[in-house]
Amino acid sequence: MTPQLADQTELASNFTVADYKTARSTQDRATIAEALHRRFTERYIDPVTPAPGKEMHGFTIMAISCLMIESLESFVQGWENSSSKSEAAFCYFFDSRPQFSIFRGHFARFYKNVRCGILHQAETTGGWKITRKKNAPLFDAAPASLTINATLFLENLVAVLDGFRDNLKIVEWNSTEWKNVRKKMKALCDNCQP
């Protein structure tokens, strides 16, 4: 693949590597923020948002949510990749997002029993459970329960994503937030090269 072909790679619908380079050169924060939001929505949120009359399995919602947390935190932290940083991603995520404050103090067990359990064993471990019951809390931390409401988890994840986009639109181009996003975007664009 030539660099010209790599520039045609879509990072989100209607947003290519070339589009990113143009937006970066003009410091078009709104365009990049919206494209990132679209990327996350298309890749992570839409696939687990049920269509009318169709329910999504809580396990699938949590599997996709774990992928999204790690990816989103890579943009927030400015990591080129999350290799050897996965557990830290969950620590940072749960410690800094008020929507997930109930998980503070539980991130290591969440990481091991939910994220790693799903990724490596295709199941939660350590007695952790997933539900979609409408009246269930986001997280029941009682040792006999350890139950996550996948529906509420996804709703809160959408709120975090919306906040990420909205913040990028208002912070300065040379802020830490944008420096980190640009560092991750550079790695993302580099990965489109042969």
Side-chain angles (χ1 to χ4, degrees), residues 9-186:
T9 303
E10 278 198 334
L11 303 174
S13 63
N14 302 311
F15 189 75
T16 63
V17 170
D19 294 329
Y20 169 68
K21 290 176 179 179
T22 299
R24 184 189 64 210
S25 70
T26 60
Q27 299 181 8
D28 188 346
R29 298 174 307 191
T31 295
I32 299 168
E34 286 295 338
L36 283 175
H37 188 273
R38 203 164 51 252
R39 178 183 176 87
F40 278 95
T41 300
E42 293 167 349
R43 290 175 180 228
Y44 303 105
I45 304 299
D46 289 348
V48 291
T49 302
K54 179 158 172 65
E55 291 293 323
M56 292 301 298
H57 197 284
F59 177 88
T60 304
I61 293 170
M62 290 308 300
I64 297 288
S65 294
C66 287
L67 289 172
M68 181 172 164
I69 288 170
E70 204 161 320
S71 180
L72 183 61
E73 204 58 36
S74 291
F75 279 91
V76 171
Q77 299 299 327
W79 295 336
E80 294 176 3
N81 63 63
S82 61
S83 178
S84 75
K85 299 176 186 121
S86 295
E87 187 171 4
F90 285 84
C91 174
Y92 293 143
F93 182 83
F94 287 136
D95 278 351
S96 63
R97 304 308 186 302
Q99 298 91 335
F100 291 95
S101 61
I102 195 164
F103 288 96
R104 289 187 186 135
H106 299 282
F107 86 86
R109 291 187 309 150
F110 178 99
Y111 176 77
K112 177 182 178 187
N113 296 298
V114 178
R115 186 268 188 196
C116 291
I118 290 171
L119 179 65
H120 300 298
Q121 294 174 222
E123 63 185 3
T124 58
T125 61
W128 285 65
K129 299 168 202 66
I130 299 169
T131 188
R132 288 183 304 102
K133 291 181 182 172
K134 298 206 184 306
N135 61 344
L138 172 60
F139 178 51
D140 182 347
S145 180
L146 296 173
T147 302
I148 301 167
N149 182 327
T151 303
L152 291 178
F153 197 95
L154 182 64
E155 288 174 11
N156 285 348
L157 201 49
V158 169
V160 168
L161 177 61
D162 291 349
F164 175 69
R165 174 202 54 206
D166 296 345
N167 186 56
L168 286 178
K169 287 181 175 182
I170 60 172
V171 295
E172 294 298 320
W173 182 252
N174 288 319
S175 66
T176 299
E177 292 91 337
W178 272 108
K179 287 178 183 175
N180 288 347
V181 165
R182 288 194 306 271
K183 185 175 180 183
K184 176 62 179 173
M185 288 297 291
K186 179 185 181 318

